[in-house]
Amino acid sequence: MPQDKDELLKRAKSLRREMTPAEARLWYHLRAKRFDGVKFIRQNPRQGFIVDFVARSEKLIIEVDGDTHGSDEAIAKDAHGTARLERQGYRVIRFTNAEVVGNLEAVLAAIGDALAARPLSPALSPQSGEREKKEV
């Protein structure tokens, strides 16, 4: 699994050029801050893996899994990768190609729900030492 950084970057660039139809369809809605004003990037190396889409500011990763992700080996590898990413503070949500192609509205709603469920940034929460504004 561990590849050197140059190999991962080369593979990520290749994946950007060769997106699956499901990835391309979802990317249309995520790119250029089209979705809730959140900046997503695609095919990005993270923790030794290449994730399909990531909103770095929100620490949200979206994976679109094809048919090859159904084997026991692939499921174990995905679970290991998800655990590593979650230890780094990322939330990972997964969809199948069939879900993206067949029910894009539900996929986009689930992404919206994941973004809405994001915790308040520690820098902005009153517990972090910032005083709450008082009405005058």
Side-chain angles (χ1 to χ4, degrees), residues 31-51:
R31 67 186 298 265
K33 296 185 180 180
R34 288 180 181 167
F35 194 88
D36 201 23
V38 175
K39 180 176 177 59
F40 283 90
I41 57 176
R42 63 191 167 119
Q43 303 302 343
N44 186 252
R46 294 266 150 202
Q47 297 297 309
F49 301 94
I50 299 172
V51 298

Side-chain angles (χ1 to χ4, degrees), residues 36 58 60 91 93 109-121:
D36 201 23
E58 308 301 326
L60 177 66
R91 290 172 293 135
I93 56 176
I111 294 168
D113 289 346
L115 289 170
R118 62 185 170 244
L120 233 135
S121 166

Side-chain angles (χ1 to χ4, degrees), residues 28 36-37 55 58 64 67 86-88 109:
Y28 174 82
D36 201 23
E58 308 301 326
V64 179
D67 295 336
E86 287 174 345
R87 282 193 300 272
Q88 296 298 314

Side-chain angles (χ1 to χ4, degrees), residues 11-12 14-20 22-24 26-28 30-31 40-46 49-55 60-66 68-69 78 85 91-97 100 111:
R11 179 74 178 131
S14 171
L15 289 171
R16 284 184 209 122
R17 286 188 302 270
E18 302 167 12
M19 289 195 310
T20 67
E23 289 171 339
L26 184 56
W27 179 237
Y28 174 82
L30 299 178
R31 67 186 298 265
F40 283 90
I41 57 176
R42 63 191 167 119
Q43 303 302 343
N44 186 252
R46 294 266 150 202
F49 301 94
I50 299 172
V51 298
D52 292 327
F53 306 101
V54 61
L60 177 66
I61 291 173
I62 301 167
E63 285 289 295
V64 179
D65 297 333
T68 60
H69 287 262
D78 287 345
L85 293 163
R91 290 172 293 135
V92 179
I93 56 176
R94 293 182 176 278
F95 302 100
T96 64
N97 283 340
V100 173
I111 294 168

